[in-house]
Amino acid sequence: MGAALLLMLVTGLFLAGWVTVMSTRSIQVSWLEDALSRRIALENSRMLSWETVMEHAFEPDDDFAGQTALLTGGKEGGLSTNGGWKDLNLYVNLDTPETLKTDFPYNPSGLRPGPSFMNRQTFLKPPALEKVDSFFAHNFLKSHCPILNGDLITIYKKPANYAGELNVHNNAMSFNVYGRVVVRHPPSLFVQTTSKVTLPIQSKSLYIQSYDAAARYPIVGTTLDGKVLLPSNMPVVPSSTGPQSQASPSLFEGELNVVHNKDYPDNSLWNKMVEEAYDNIEVFTKSRSQTDPWYMVQYSGDAKPRVLPPSYPSGYDNLFRTLYINVANPSLKHLRISNNGSAMDQIVFVGQTTAAEYEAAGALSPVIILLENTGSKWAKNIAFEHDNNRRIILGVKDEYSLTSKKKEQPHQMDLSWAGSPILGQDTRWRMTFINEGHAVFVGLPDNTVRVINWIGGVMTNWSFWRDIKTAPRAERLIFRSDGSMPTLPIVGLSYATLLPRDVWLEAFFLPDPPPP
């Protein structure tokens, strides 16, 4: 009897303990289920925030006002727009880092080095979602010209109607870049027979922005001392110069359309002139004086151009027309040049010849000069005479070849230098050059000791290479950042305001910690 009672007692204690454990376990599972649900809700909210910004913020004038809450399919996550944005436009003036009062959570250097224009949009937890932990989704929408942030040579995706390779490496002589070389679309440098691309451009770093998981497009660079330069393995931040057209607003394909973008003018240099004074040049005229900001001269017969283009007179008509631009003239306005084949054969930028003129030019307001070739004939040569310290934004667009359905080769444009440097054998020329659709061929003076210091950079979506016949030294052509050459304070709009921009997103999702 005693043994039976003892067994019943032990069994009862075991059953009571088992029930207690199962009850505790069920409570724990319930709590874990709730914690998991909250975690899923937070992750859903994080991804919804990112997707919302990526879909709505990068197309100009998108409107998100009036949206008080966005929810996922059920109630597992969502966000409140906290007032939302209205007509947000990343391609025009936004706040600069200097106007911010605090650094956290804003990172001044961010995922890309250097300053930037910025707009911050913050999303919150919708009040109706009780089972979602509070959070702040800070979305920093940034924009800046890549050249001013150290990307001195940026190679964009080649135009869609070209079947060949974008040539920056074949039969090309090297040059020095004291900054980054960036390749936005590796396939553009390859044709079917290409196995590997070695860029002869000698630079501090190489950045491949379009991620190639299969390594189908191997690209390596060259260091400043001539060794192999592997691309940076830093995380890639998707960026865009803006929608390409109304019909196909592609944003993150490495395309370049900022010289004259008729569909989306906000990041178009052609349209940045609307609020500024500019001259429009469409036909040839000899009526202007040589002391004016710009003038034209026609040469014929034995009268040769003052600055001879490469291979002249081969490839040119008997009547040779040159547009001269005095870049140090304070009265020089922005220029729109529409060349349909009858306006000019050559453009010569006339710089400064004395140290005092050079110093004074650095304080002049930046000027935009755009050349849009619309016919089968085009300005084949752009020459730079003497030195220049005024900030020039030169954009060229081969509209005829870009819109041609014949898939013919783009028109070649020669860049050349002339005149005597102010200091020794080093020419200094301050300029941002943007090329859309031209095959740009960089020639150097015949004097092999001459050095060209290009202060600024290049954005191009087609071939850009240095003449292989211009001596082997890479240091004959040197690219330096604009910030490396200080000047007097600029009068008028800043350089950064006028330049075209890349835009990108840096997101910080910060859940509130649970109460103690």
Side-chain angles (χ1 to χ4, degrees):
M1 177 69 72
L5 290 175
L6 183 61
L7 179 62
M8 290 178 61
L9 177 62
V10 172
T11 302
L13 292 174
F14 174 79
L15 289 175
W18 182 79
V19 170
T20 301
V21 169
M22 291 301 297
S23 175
T24 303
R25 181 61 176 167
S26 65
I27 295 173
Q28 181 189 26
V29 169
S30 176
W31 285 347
L32 289 174
E33 181 181 5
D34 185 64
L36 181 61
S37 175
R38 288 178 176 273
R39 182 66 181 178
I40 291 174
L42 277 178
E43 290 301 316
N44 287 343
S45 301
R46 183 202 304 267
M47 294 306 300
L48 181 60
S49 169
W50 177 273
E51 182 179 352
T52 299
V53 178
M54 294 293 283
E55 287 186 358
H56 291 273
F58 289 87
E59 293 188 24
D61 303 322
D62 210 332
D63 199 326
F64 218 46
Q67 294 281 350
T68 57
L70 293 175
L71 305 178
T72 55
K75 293 186 177 181
E76 299 297 330
L79 57 89
S80 168
T81 64
N82 193 28
W85 58 69
K86 182 174 177 61
D87 299 329
L88 178 64
N89 195 334
L90 302 184
Y91 308 95
V92 295
N93 292 343
L94 298 173
D95 292 333
T96 61
E98 291 77 17
T99 64
L100 299 175
K101 304 300 183 184
T102 181
D103 281 346
F104 183 81
Y106 168 58
N107 180 1
S109 59
L111 299 178
R112 288 189 173 187
S116 65
F117 296 94
M118 192 188 74
N119 183 287
R120 184 181 73 177
Q121 297 294 331
T122 301
F123 296 145
L124 306 175
K125 185 201 80 170
L129 299 184
E130 297 180 357
K131 292 188 176 182
V132 178
D133 294 333
S134 296
F135 61 81
F136 292 89
H138 300 286
N139 297 285
F140 296 96
L141 306 166
K142 296 186 176 183
S143 64
H144 211 256
C145 180
I147 289 175
L148 295 186
N149 274 352
D151 299 344
L152 302 190
I153 304 291
T154 304
I155 304 164
Y156 292 80
K157 182 180 180 181
K158 70 179 182 180
N161 64 331
Y162 292 147
E165 64 184 353
L166 192 161
N167 181 25
V168 290
H169 57 283
N170 284 331
N171 297 317
M173 188 59 66
S174 62
F175 50 87
N176 284 346
V177 176
Y178 285 86
R180 287 183 295 274
V181 173
V182 179
V183 178
R184 292 295 180 88
H185 189 255
S188 293
L189 276 62
F190 286 74
V191 292
Q192 191 172 7
T193 57
T194 307
S195 59
K196 177 183 176 181
V197 167
T198 299
L199 299 178
I201 305 171
Q202 298 184 3
S203 62
K204 284 189 172 182
S205 61
L206 173 64
Y207 185 69
I208 310 297
Q209 189 169 3
S210 179
Y211 180 63
D212 176 23
R216 295 166 296 176
Y217 305 102
I219 299 175
V220 296
T222 307
T223 64
L224 290 171
D225 57 0
K227 299 178 181 179
V228 174
L229 175 63
L230 297 178
S232 169
N233 61 356
M234 294 293 290
V236 173
V237 181
S239 65
S240 172
T241 59
Q244 300 302 303
S245 67
Q246 293 278 8
S248 179
S250 56
L251 290 170
F252 303 109
E253 297 183 6
E255 295 175 316
L256 181 67
N257 186 7
V258 297
V259 173
H260 188 187
N261 190 334
K262 302 179 181 67
D263 292 321
Y264 287 94
D266 298 293
N267 204 30
S268 168
L269 290 171
W270 195 273
N271 300 88
K272 285 179 181 287
M273 299 183 186
V274 172
E275 298 179 0
E276 302 290 319
Y278 67 90
D279 286 337
N280 203 11
I281 303 176
E282 294 182 340
V283 296
F284 178 81
T285 175
K286 295 188 294 183
S287 61
R288 300 179 67 92
S289 167
Q290 293 191 11
T291 60
D292 285 343
W294 59 269
Y295 61 95
M296 292 182 174
V297 176
Q298 180 173 282
Y299 301 93
S300 62
D302 294 333
K304 294 183 179 180
R306 187 173 83 202
V307 178
L308 292 179
S311 71
Y312 179 86
S314 176
Y316 293 95
D317 296 335
N318 184 46
L319 292 178
F320 187 91
R321 294 171 171 176
T322 299
L323 167 65
Y324 292 93
I325 301 174
N326 293 318
V327 295
N329 192 313
S331 300
L332 178 64
K333 304 174 183 177
H334 301 308
L335 293 181
R336 285 181 178 179
I337 307 169
S338 299
N339 189 28
N340 61 5
S342 61
M344 69 210 67
D345 300 286
Q346 178 191 51
I347 300 176
V348 176
F349 289 83
V350 184
Q352 301 92 58
T353 58
T354 68
E357 291 176 350
Y358 184 85
E359 183 74 8
L364 295 175
S365 60
V367 63
I368 302 173
I369 298 173
L370 302 180
L371 169 63
E372 188 171 34
N373 289 312
T374 58
S376 57
K377 297 181 65 178
W378 70 102
K380 298 180 181 179
N381 175 240
I382 297 181
F384 309 102
E385 196 174 28
H386 311 305
D387 290 59
N388 171 55
N389 197 27
R390 185 174 190 175
R391 289 174 170 88
I392 300 296
I393 304 169
L394 174 59
V396 298
K397 185 168 188 174
D398 188 4
E399 185 69 29
Y400 179 80
S401 293
L402 286 170
T403 57
S404 172
K405 296 181 180 179
K406 299 178 182 180
K407 293 188 177 181
E408 58 190 48
Q409 288 299 310
H411 295 149
Q412 179 173 314
M413 176 176 287
D414 297 319
L415 304 186
S416 58
W417 275 263
S420 300
I422 297 173
L423 299 174
Q425 296 295 335
D426 283 15
T427 292
R428 298 163 295 172
W429 194 271
R430 206 174 206 116
M431 178 176 65
T432 291
F433 179 67
I434 302 163
N435 169 53
E436 294 177 4
H438 277 289
V440 177
F441 187 80
V442 182
L444 301 180
D446 293 335
N447 184 351
T448 58
V449 300
R450 285 282 303 278
V451 175
I452 306 300
N453 286 276
W454 187 322
I455 307 165
V458 173
M459 301 164 65
T460 183
N461 70 350
W462 195 240
S463 301
F464 182 91
W465 72 100
R466 177 190 156 198
D467 186 358
I468 198 170
K469 300 188 296 294
T470 56
R473 293 187 302 121
E475 59 270 21
R476 284 206 66 202
L477 176 61
I478 301 174
F479 283 85
R480 303 183 187 276
S481 67
D482 186 82
S484 69
M485 306 290 286
T487 63
L488 296 171
I490 296 175
V491 176
L493 289 177
S494 71
Y495 201 30
T497 301
L498 292 175
L499 285 166
R501 303 180 189 175
D502 274 2
V503 295
W504 68 96
L505 167 65
E506 293 178 15
F508 297 85
F509 189 87
L510 305 176
D512 278 357

